[in-house]
Amino acid sequence: MATIRIPTPLRAYTANLSDVEVTGATVGEALQDLINQHNALEPHLFNNGELRSFVNIFLGEEDVRYLNGMETAIEDDTNLRIIPSIAGGSEQPIRQVDQSALRVNQALIISLLVLAFVFNLWWLVAFVSAVMIIGTIWPDAALFKLIYKNILKPANLVEPDVIPDNPEPHRFAQALGGLFTFGSAASLLLGLPALGWTLAWVVIVLAGLNLFLGFCVGCFVYYQFNRLGVPGFSVAPIPVEVDQER
Amino acid sequence: MRVLLSTQLSAQIEAHLEEAYPNEGAGFLLGAVDHDAVKVERVLPLSNQREQEAQHNRYELSPLDFARAEEVADASGLALVGVFHSHPDHPAQPSTFDRDHAWPHFSYLITSVQNGKAVLTRAWRLREDRSTFDEDEFLLGEI
């Protein structure tokens, strides 16, 4: 009988046998017999009936792809070998977010909304809302970030703090904040100060959580939607990298 | 599953991956598998076989590399227990591409190399249904 040599990682599926005896007149028949004997091998060798691209069947020193493929004839004393190629690699281009731009944005939102509350200025709430909504739709026109980029950073008043992160969740958080602030301004205009200031304080507290504790509630919501597969929330979190003990 | 690696072998892996930077580096892990632990006894750093232009985010070890690694393992009474590779300027977690090309019952050590410096290594294992990787406990130290 012909034999097929099993690579180490697949021996778990052949009761730890390193060589399996098979019948068949061709490489394809021999592999089919192997799978008939050890069903669990199939998904690791084949994909939709085709040999996986990184699975190589060798007859002597030759990859059967360069012989007659699955039709390559074998003898009773043929020794076939399954030899993997090992492949992989990182995927997404690295994405970065300047945390300082976000912090300046949060600090200005908090300051202006508190100012609006103290002096009872509905139009200042409306202004913050407009800045946030415009900044969500056209990120290049986000006023508070422009202040950071064009004034505070060049003057070295705020140092950049660029870390790997996804911008989408922050944009989503900005959109949520913008809507709450819009609701606040609208309520104040309509003579509902209790509701209006409650909404404004929700935004102040959430922006404060992010600014002082680094917890972005909007991002958290975004990633929950991502986890649940909600359309439009396609970006998965970048895992937190903690330095290990070494 | 736990993966045990000595600081000395870890340093050998990191040196190889830092040298490969900004490209991906890779190699094999040889060792012994207990029922719930993989003890790495030896590492085989190898050249990335992918074309130069693709090496920044791809690695490949050829069938010949694999066959030789198995021979080395057999000759030294060890088993081929896994693969290590780097993600230059990327997190130490498997990509979809890693998953599509991974083997079950293999330890995959992924090292994030940031600006030429190995910063974090994590251990992963392909689920048997190939759906995803699970993280293994990675223990570094004198073993």
Side-chain angles (χ1 to χ4, degrees):
Chain A
M1 284 173 109
T3 61
I4 300 184
R5 180 141 177 105
I6 309 299
T8 319
L10 294 185
R11 290 180 195 165
Y13 304 113
T14 59
N16 272 328
L17 289 174
S18 57
D19 295 275
V20 175
E21 292 195 335
V22 290
T23 57
T26 63
V27 168
E29 289 174 14
L31 284 174
Q32 190 53 56
D33 187 41
L34 173 69
I35 284 171
N36 290 345
Q37 294 180 49
H38 304 285
N39 294 317
L41 283 172
E42 186 170 16
H44 305 296
L45 298 179
F46 291 92
N47 191 14
N48 298 325
E50 292 284 317
L51 199 62
R52 287 183 170 272
S53 62
F54 51 102
V55 175
N56 312 287
I57 312 296
F58 276 73
L59 199 169
E61 298 301 311
E62 282 293 338
D63 185 333
V64 299
R65 285 194 182 90
Y66 300 106
L67 298 172
N68 207 6
M70 289 294 127
E71 302 304 317
T72 306
I74 57 169
E75 307 288 332
D76 260 2
D77 59 351
T78 299
N79 298 317
L80 292 172
R81 290 187 295 168
I82 299 173
I83 310 184
S85 305
I86 302 293
S90 60
E91 198 161 44
Q92 294 188 347
I94 193 108
R95 318 188 66 208
Q96 296 181 318
V97 170
D98 188 343
Q99 298 291 304
S100 293
L102 297 180
R103 288 193 201 108
V104 166
N105 186 49
Q106 292 146 10
L108 284 170
I109 290 168
I110 294 169
S111 312
L112 292 179
L113 288 181
V114 169
L115 213 61
F117 176 71
V118 171
F119 294 101
N120 197 18
L121 305 170
W122 72 268
W123 56 264
L124 189 52
V125 179
F127 170 74
V128 172
S129 161
V131 168
M132 292 175 82
I133 290 171
I134 290 170
T136 303
I137 300 170
W138 298 286
D140 288 341
L143 180 65
F144 299 155
K145 288 176 189 165
L146 288 174
I147 290 175
Y148 162 75
K149 190 176 150 196
N150 296 320
I151 301 171
L152 300 176
K153 189 162 81 167
N156 289 324
L157 291 170
V158 181
E159 293 272 317
D161 180 14
V162 181
I163 62 162
D165 200 355
N166 297 311
E168 289 84 356
H170 294 290
R171 204 169 155 190
F172 175 71
Q174 179 85 352
L176 277 188
L179 287 178
F180 269 72
T181 316
F182 179 80
S184 166
S187 304
L188 293 173
L189 251 186
L190 294 172
L192 300 166
L195 177 63
W197 293 122
T198 303
L199 287 170
W201 274 99
V202 168
V203 175
I204 293 169
V205 168
L206 293 185
L209 262 182
N210 205 341
L211 179 61
F212 297 111
L213 299 176
F215 182 66
C216 170
V217 174
C219 305
F220 178 78
V221 171
Y222 181 99
Y223 285 131
Q224 292 304 312
F225 284 160
N226 169 260
R227 204 169 55 82
L228 297 170
V230 179
F233 293 83
S234 58
V235 179
I238 296 175
V240 177
E241 301 260 330
V242 280
D243 214 353
Q244 65 201 8
E245 284 182 42
R246 40 184 74 231
Chain B
M1 199 64 117
R2 290 175 301 146
V3 180
L4 311 165
L5 183 74
S6 72
T7 45
Q8 190 191 347
L9 290 177
S10 168
Q12 199 183 340
I13 289 175
E14 291 186 350
H16 179 64
L17 299 179
E18 287 175 359
E19 193 180 328
Y21 184 90
N23 291 332
E24 295 203 358
F28 285 106
L29 306 170
L30 275 49
V33 183
D34 200 355
H35 64 288
D36 69 339
V38 177
K39 189 174 175 189
V40 181
E41 304 273 7
R42 187 170 167 187
V43 300
L44 296 180
L46 293 167
S47 313
N48 189 341
Q49 299 291 315
R50 278 300 295 255
E51 65 275 22
Q52 189 67 34
E53 313 81 72
Q55 286 189 8
H56 66 284
N57 68 345
R58 291 287 180 262
Y59 79 94
E60 188 167 321
L61 302 175
S62 72
L64 188 62
D65 289 329
F66 188 95
R68 279 188 189 145
E70 250 183 9
E71 282 166 20
V72 171
D74 284 346
S76 45
L78 298 170
L80 193 54
V81 295
V83 177
F84 67 89
H85 78 277
S86 57
H87 281 180
D89 297 317
H90 281 63
Q93 64 163 27
S95 64
T96 312
F97 191 82
D98 283 325
R99 190 199 65 205
D100 289 345
H101 293 77
W103 292 88
H105 300 279
F106 240 25
S107 292
Y108 283 85
L109 292 187
I110 303 182
T111 301
S112 176
V113 180
Q114 307 275 349
N115 298 318
K117 188 92 191 92
V119 294
L120 178 69
T121 298
R122 294 166 77 179
W124 304 88
R125 180 167 299 269
L126 183 70
R127 227 175 253 182
E128 298 217 29
D129 64 5
R130 306 194 64 90
S131 62
T132 187
F133 279 91
D134 292 311
E135 185 161 14
D136 278 346
E137 193 184 349
F138 181 53
L139 298 170
L140 192 58
E142 298 306 324
I143 51 172

